[in-house]
Amino acid sequence: MKKVFEAVQRLGERLLAYVFGRDVFISYAHADGRPYARALANALTSLDKPLRPYLDLWAASPGATLPLTLLLALRRASVLVVIATDEALKSPHVAEEIKRFAPLARPIVAIAAPKQRLCWPSVVDGVSEPESEENITAGRPSAQVIRNIVEVVGDATQEQRLHRLAWRTALWLCFVVLLGAGVTVVAWQLTSAAGAVSNAVDELADTARLAARRETAKAAGAVIAANDAERRRGEAEGLRATAQAQAEKQRRLGAALSLANEASVILDKLKPDRLTTVAQLAAQAMMETNRLGVHSLQVDQTVRQVLDLMPTVHDPLQKLKYRKVLAISPRQTVVAIEQRDRVAFVDLVTTEAMAAEGLRPAGIWRIVFSADESRCGVVTGVGPESRVLRVWDVASGRAIGPPIPLPPRAYEIALDRTGEHAAVAYGENAAAGLTVRSTTAEPAAAPPVWKARHIDSVNFSPVAPLLVFSDRKHLFTWRWQTESQPTRIGEESETGAVRSLLFAPTGELFAASARGGPVSSRRFRPDLAEGRAVVEMWSFASGGAMSVWRDERQYVYGLALSRASSKLLVWDDNGVTVHTAATGVMEKTITHPSTSAAAVSEDGTIVASVGTDGTTRVFDMDRMLELDRVVSLASPAGDGRPALGVDIDEHQVTVVTRSRIQRWAALETPVTRQGVIPSAMAFLPDEEVIVVLGLDKTFKAAMYSAAGATMDSWVERTANDTAIAAASRRRVLVGDRHGDVAIHTPSGPLSALRHPANRAAIVALAVSPSSELVAAATTKGVCVWTNWATSHRQCTRLPDAGMVKALAFNSSGDELVTGNSAGEVHVWDWRARKKRLMMTHGAPVTSLSIDRSDALIASAGGHARVNVWNARTGVLQQELPHDREAEGVAFDPSGKYLATTAWDYLFRLWHLEADGSMKTVARVPFGTGVNRVAFSPSGRTVAYGGRLTLSLWRPEDLLRALCARVDCSEPARHEVQAASAQ
């Protein structure tokens, strides 16, 4: 009985396999065989005589075990085809499928690449079909493989089996029909009578049913119409609500951008008294864009500019409620302030105030301090003919000695180290003179007097009874207590008046002459600019004057010493230089035009410079990095009034002007600045990481995150590196002066690309947006590589490309834009090696960028404008003006913004308006010429740099830093509205 049951079961299995068995069962590993398996199944079903394959992608979902449906299909299949890849060799599912199919004694075909064919005969005892590894990877079955599979299947395809079964079934049905026809005729005769009656009844029933269906259809139609009307009403309401929400969002976004624009306008005018209002405008704009869930570079730039001008500043004397600052001591530790109707002396270290007895602010002409800061001389008087000098003790606030009437038209006052004597320069034109008076008692004899044409500068030595002054041509020393006549030192000056006489605490003298006078004078008197200025150091250690060192330059406007006199600052038109005071050796220079006061930390690492434009800038001299740039709230910007003093004590900066004392710490670098001078830079396409080739000698490219944090760099470099580009999968390409393009990865370098123009420097690199193509330009031509990351790399060299200095791919990579030193911009179909367009930039092109939609091309270099071209027609669409030579351009990933850099010390951001024009939305001062710019892949970070620093930012960091300076919880809307109204 058991044998009979097994025979029946085998017969049933054969019948099911005959009817439902597929021609081919495709076995593969999902990890690396899925594309080829899918393509093979599609190819077999597309034949003239199609085969019916079984592919689990079409019939079963993946899982840890083989489903029953798949096992049934495997048992009933005619041929097993195995895609013999590396992962298939490891796959337990593929092994189980082969194990279950092998006992059925049906054909097995293994499709394997040459390197796998040696591994598979031990696994599959069947036909081995060769296939190339490239076809398996790309999913392209060869025609030979398909023909061989068809031959293995043969004529016993499922379709042919079904045809035979259908034909045999039709013959049997015909026989059964004929047999049944005879029986039917007899039965028909018997039922014909009953059928007539039944038909009549059915006709009546059909008529009733038809009427009922019509009524039901009418009711259903009415319900459907009502539902459809309700649905349309709901859709209309939804569209109306969406439109209203979009309109409200656009209105709120427009309001936020308007606030940012208003803030930018105020910043452009650099009005320090409105800096708090500007910060509130910027904070409100950024919070509004955050609530809307949008990102605006215009708002980010405004906040960035506010933060550059608004560090955490406090006034140590705020509690004293003073009206203004009258004077500051030589060592920057004591100030004289006006409090209501009195004058007080304040120690800036302890902030203790001592009122000057009987001294009122009205009528004060000048206040000077002694070198030891123990006494203060105050000159009062209504006019130059009636001025009186009196000395006060700073510690007690009491007057010392009687009032001293000054000679007519006194214009220069100086106190000696202890304040016991005063030197007074007076007169005008050829009737000038210099006299020394005692400040504590009436002199027993007539005070000494020296007559001269004009006295320029006067100062007392802090260690000896020695007076030093100049008379436009000569420098004099005068020991007035023992000598009746001054002693001339040095030769006759050829550099003009001495404008600064500065003593070190140990007695050394630093003298500076400033040829040509102030900038405003030279504008109307060009002859004043002739000649040279001199900075000179004199020593009096031997009893006489001896010049220690001498330095010549174009102009000198002021001098300052560090607290221990180890560093000397000299400032002129261009900026501030740091010298070793003992030798005069110049160490470093910073750029800050129109400096009015400066200070240096004791170790020489931090320099603060106050300009007449109302800004104070703080520099890290070790890294040549600007730390802060602060708008002085004490003095309106651009009024040309110098600061009273600036000091650095343990890297804490103090600036004293007439109306305010500002103090802040400059210990840390803001997150938006990095101390590297970029010669080339690029963002990695897959992440917010920028790689920078700096001008240092570490021979390792700097890497920074979007937050500005320094990262460990895996890009090695050499002194010959010239250009940089980045591709996906963390690959950085660096070109050098020998025509090689090194490929760096975190795991190590790949084999370099070599330009066909051997030994020619790589001047520009570009990677297509898909990272599949790399273009490199040398002075001898352009090469475009395909398959550049493999051993099958190929180079297409463009003919007659000129001396290309800038490259850019379009979004598809089909076109390459080049800019050359002849001022031409070419658009190439690089595969056909043909030019499609040619535009005339008008100067050597240094930078190119294409927007995301491939509609616009921006070019920069050689002149003070950026050209924006129509990428399809080559027509010049707009010229973007700059104050000096434009250097860099970059479209952001959204295509809405264009960033430009130039040598006018400004980073600019332009917005693409609806009419296609570009509008400036941000102008950020940088402190030096800006040459490089790049956007991150998300567009939320922009990096730009020049000869000083690299600048990066993220919006969330900006808002957090801004809210630390102003109250972001509820900006003062009335102040914002008032600012907008103005």
Side-chain angles (χ1 to χ4, degrees), residues 11 30 105 186 223 233 245 328 485 496 569 647 848 862 902 938:
L11 181 62
H30 283 257
V186 176
V223 173
R233 189 181 303 109
I328 186 170
Q485 297 285 333
L569 295 187
D647 183 57
L848 289 169
S938 67

Side-chain angles (χ1 to χ4, degrees), residues 297-434:
L297 281 176
Q298 178 181 353
V299 176
D300 294 350
Q301 278 282 17
T302 304
V303 175
R304 168 71 170 77
Q305 195 170 0
V306 170
L307 290 176
D308 267 354
L309 302 175
M310 197 177 183
T312 303
V313 180
H314 70 280
D315 186 347
L317 305 187
Q318 186 174 7
K319 63 181 181 180
L320 298 179
K321 297 181 180 179
Y322 60 94
R323 295 182 60 182
K324 65 179 178 180
V325 180
L326 300 174
I328 186 170
S329 65
R331 290 186 293 176
Q332 318 283 312
T333 59
V334 179
V335 292
I337 62 173
E338 177 183 338
Q339 284 184 306
R340 297 181 181 177
D341 60 345
R342 69 173 186 172
V343 175
F345 305 117
V346 183
D347 188 328
L348 287 179
V349 178
T350 63
T351 67
E352 294 181 356
M354 177 58 66
E357 295 181 358
L359 182 59
R360 298 292 178 262
I364 292 180
W365 175 65
R366 181 171 297 180
I367 297 179
V368 293
F369 285 87
S370 62
D372 63 1
E373 300 182 342
S374 64
R375 295 182 180 181
C376 176
V378 181
V379 180
T380 58
V382 178
E385 304 294 336
S386 60
R387 289 172 179 159
V388 176
L389 170 66
R390 195 168 191 182
V391 176
W392 265 263
D393 182 75
V394 172
S396 64
R398 296 177 181 176
I400 301 174
I404 303 172
L406 298 180
R409 300 194 179 277
Y411 62 86
E412 188 73 29
I413 307 293
L415 295 182
D416 65 358
R417 184 180 65 86
T418 59
E420 296 179 355
H421 295 87
V424 182
Y426 62 92
E428 59 184 356
N429 299 330
L434 178 66

Side-chain angles (χ1 to χ4, degrees), residues 100-118:
R100 289 178 177 270
F101 192 85
L104 301 178
R106 297 174 192 161
I108 299 176
V109 178
I111 300 175
K115 69 176 185 179
Q116 283 93 6
R117 294 182 66 185
L118 299 176

Side-chain angles (χ1 to χ4, degrees), residues 939-974:
R940 292 178 62 82
T941 302
V942 64
Y944 55 92
R947 291 180 178 173
L948 185 64
T949 57
L950 171 71
S951 182
L952 308 96
W953 73 82
R954 291 189 311 176
E956 50 267 33
D957 296 331
L958 295 178
L959 184 59
R960 190 180 306 111
L962 182 62
C963 293
R965 289 160 172 78
V966 296
D967 184 10
C968 291
S969 59
E970 187 177 357
R973 293 184 178 272
H974 64 281

Side-chain angles (χ1 to χ4, degrees), residues 10 384 512 520 606 636 641 652 879 958:
R10 287 194 299 271
S520 58
I606 302 294
R641 295 176 60 187
Q652 181 174 258
E879 292 183 353
L958 295 178

Side-chain angles (χ1 to χ4, degrees), residues 46 169 210 281 316 328 363 407 455 478 500 561 563 592 632 636 687 689 723 766 844 876 917 952 966 970 982:
S46 303
T169 303
L210 182 59
L281 285 165
I328 186 170
I455 305 298
W478 191 9
S500 182
L561 279 169
R563 285 179 175 267
H592 191 187
S632 172
E687 51 191 311
V689 173
L876 180 62
S917 63
L952 308 96
V966 296
E970 187 177 357
Q982 294 176 7

